[in-house]
Amino acid sequence: MFKVGLVVVLALGGASLGGCAQTAALTPDNQMCNFVTIPIEVAAPPIATPPAPFSPLAKQIDASLTTYDSTDHAGAPPLVLTLSGGSEHGAFGAGVLGGWSGNGTLPEFQVVTGISTGSILSTFAFVGDSATAVQGYTIDSESELLTVYAKPTDGKIGPADYAALLEHGSFANLEPLRTRLSGYLTDDVMQQVATRYADGARLYVGATDADSGHAVAFDLGDMATRYVTNAQGKAAQWKSCYVSAIIASSSAPMAAPPAFIDNTMYIDGGTRFGLFSDSVLEVFHARKHGAGEHAPGQRDPGLPPAGVPVVYSVIDGTLKLPPPKCPKEDASLCTPSQPLGPADGQHRKWNIMDLLLSTEHILVNQVYRFSAEQVQADACEQAGCFNFLRIEDDVSTFQFTYTDPTTGQPAAKTCPQWAAIDDQVDDPIEFQKRYMRCLIAYGKAKVAAAGWGMPQNDGN
């Protein structure tokens, strides 16, 4: 859930703390979640001839779409929504949901997947509750989401920060987020998740099993069903498990402690993937080409052309590298026409933190971009089959009016300008309340411009 750049810096910056061991709570058998977890396998090569069997998660997704195919939907195709990670930029995703159809009216998605901050949004997208998604990302203080132990300055870890890591094993914890989520996941919301699950729709959030290194998908629909039926008389336990899966998907190493579910350690799903797309891609490709579990041209006779899903993907980020800092010792050598300076200029001193952050930006940018391009390539070919939104350059000029509660005076500024004010006034470790409000408004504007849910571009 945290910015991945911060995660990498903190994780490796804390490598010298190898002797600092944290105790993991022991979960007895009668308190275990016994989650339905599905491995997220990445085929190599991704498409084989003859077609390879579906991976475990792809098989589950295909089964859900086949259930949809067997029901009368007046020829409308199934809809799939994938929500990426992105930390506080999940506010953009909340804005997209809040502006869908012009008023936040969401369609019924047959499959919803979420990673990290996308896992927080996923339940509300699944049940069509865009208002709660927006409310959840509208905060008045970072303390509504985090309990902060220490604050690195400009990515640099000081003695006090090391002391916090020694004591707590992380820079913050997500207990306030857990409490907040528990409040939003009302009986009605959980009932809606269970009802949709019973009808064949599927909701998955992804996390990384830190013990094995494998990515897994938690089946939230199954857990919601246990909650609403009070299975084994343990409804409260099942709801806690449901929330724990979302926390696990959002627990970035060193930024927050890992989540323990059934004595297994889980961390942020964003450490393995950004769009939760690999297994989804298998299904898209198979349905597009009549392959997958069946040989080409031999899919189930009852599978209509509408079996190829319409895809919506929301990237809670830019897919672009940040503007480079001048790498020269003499910053005056860097000019607008030569932003990196001349070749004969002395390079500035470097440190491991700066290098890690730069490397991470390059890596994450390419992973997310590749995921988006692959989803687009394997979606159906008709207009509206692949719908994709991300934070673009115009966020730097988008104006948002915010009324400061301390002064009562409204002001209109761009999102980056609001972020700068957040840093100056509140100095948050991660979550900037003004900037997030701006991103919500920006997300609403972007989805309105894209026409998602509107008659002229509804994906049908």
Side-chain angles (χ1 to χ4, degrees):
M1 182 176 176
F2 287 82
K3 293 175 184 174
V4 183
L6 178 61
V7 173
V8 174
V9 170
L10 299 187
L12 296 191
S16 62
L17 300 176
C20 176
Q22 302 292 323
T23 300
L26 175 64
T27 302
D29 185 67
N30 66 348
Q31 294 178 20
M32 287 190 175
C33 296
N34 295 315
F35 248 112
V36 173
T37 57
I38 307 164
I40 302 177
E41 302 290 346
V42 180
I47 304 299
T49 304
F54 278 146
S55 66
L57 181 58
K59 192 169 186 175
Q60 296 294 322
I61 292 172
D62 186 62
S64 176
L65 296 179
T66 299
T67 298
Y68 181 96
D69 297 335
S70 65
T71 309
D72 183 13
H73 293 279
L79 307 182
V80 174
L81 174 67
T82 63
L83 298 162
S84 85
S87 188
E88 67 174 346
H89 294 99
F92 168 72
V96 169
L97 298 181
W100 206 297
S101 301
N103 59 7
T105 300
L106 298 174
E108 278 200 351
F109 300 105
Q110 186 65 15
V111 178
V112 175
T113 69
I115 293 296
S116 195
T117 197
S119 73
I120 298 171
L121 292 169
S122 62
T123 293
F124 306 107
F126 190 66
V127 302
D129 186 0
S130 59
T132 299
V134 170
Q135 184 181 358
Y137 279 79
T138 304
I139 62 171
D140 294 316
S141 170
E142 184 177 59
S143 63
E144 295 172 32
L145 304 176
L146 302 175
T147 297
V148 178
Y149 301 133
K151 291 184 178 182
T153 303
D154 297 327
K156 297 177 181 178
I157 303 174
D161 303 318
Y162 277 115
L165 283 174
L166 284 168
E167 181 179 359
H168 302 287
S170 64
F171 279 73
N173 73 50
L174 298 178
E175 287 307 306
L177 173 62
R178 180 185 289 275
T179 301
R180 189 176 178 88
L181 279 171
S182 295
Y184 285 137
L185 294 170
T186 62
D187 290 347
D188 181 59
V189 169
M190 298 293 279
Q191 179 65 64
Q192 291 180 65
V193 173
T195 298
R196 298 222 57 225
Y197 176 79
D199 291 338
R202 292 294 180 264
L203 170 62
Y204 300 111
V205 299
T208 301
D209 179 340
D211 295 328
S212 70
H214 295 152
V216 300
F218 289 104
D219 187 336
L220 293 188
D222 172 79
M223 190 57 70
T225 301
R226 290 190 233 171
Y227 170 76
V228 301
T229 60
N230 193 23
Q232 300 175 328
K234 298 193 292 187
Q237 181 174 318
W238 305 136
K239 182 174 179 179
S240 177
C241 290
Y242 190 106
V243 175
S244 290
I246 298 173
I247 296 296
S249 182
S250 306
S251 296
M254 301 303 265
F260 289 88
I261 299 176
D262 297 355
N263 300 317
T264 298
M265 184 165 62
Y266 292 96
I267 59 175
D268 193 332
T271 61
R272 282 291 308 272
F273 41 83
L275 250 185
F276 209 140
S277 61
D278 297 298
S279 294
V280 179
L281 284 173
E282 292 181 68
V283 180
F284 293 167
H285 186 95
R287 286 176 166 251
K288 180 177 178 181
H289 298 287
E293 295 288 86
H294 309 268
Q298 296 180 8
R299 283 193 63 80
D300 292 337
L303 186 66
V308 181
V310 168
V311 187
Y312 292 93
S313 293
V314 179
I315 296 287
D316 294 315
T318 66
L319 292 186
K320 296 187 69 174
L321 295 172
K325 297 180 181 179
C326 180
K328 300 301 181 181
E329 190 71 35
D330 180 1
S332 67
L333 296 176
C334 299
T335 63
S337 61
Q338 201 171 17
L340 300 181
D344 58 353
Q346 172 67 48
H347 199 285
R348 61 180 169 82
K349 295 179 180 178
W350 67 278
N351 62 61
I352 188 63
M353 298 298 181
D354 287 344
L355 181 59
L356 289 170
L357 187 59
S358 176
T359 303
E360 178 276 326
H361 280 313
I362 296 169
L363 176 63
V364 171
N365 170 268
Q366 291 305 310
V367 169
Y368 273 57
R369 185 179 293 274
F370 176 75
S371 295
E373 288 177 351
Q374 286 296 101
V375 172
Q376 182 175 22
D378 282 309
C380 62
E381 296 173 348
Q382 291 76 23
C385 277
F386 177 75
N387 304 273
F388 171 67
L389 283 176
R390 64 177 176 89
I391 299 173
E392 299 186 72
D393 291 343
D394 58 355
V395 73
S396 296
T397 57
F398 178 78
Q399 292 280 324
F400 171 67
T401 300
Y402 173 70
T403 301
D404 190 323
T406 58
T407 65
Q409 297 299 314
K413 299 183 184 296
T414 67
C415 293
Q417 288 172 334
W418 283 124
I421 292 174
D422 282 318
D423 288 339
Q424 180 181 7
V425 175
D426 300 327
D427 188 28
I429 188 174
E430 179 67 13
F431 296 98
Q432 302 162 297
K433 67 182 184 183
R434 299 169 185 82
Y435 178 60
M436 290 170 68
R437 282 174 164 82
C438 188
L439 286 182
I440 289 171
Y442 174 74
K444 289 181 177 180
K446 295 300 285 187
V447 74
W452 288 12
M454 303 298 187
Q456 70 274 19
N457 185 22
D458 61 2
N460 295 323

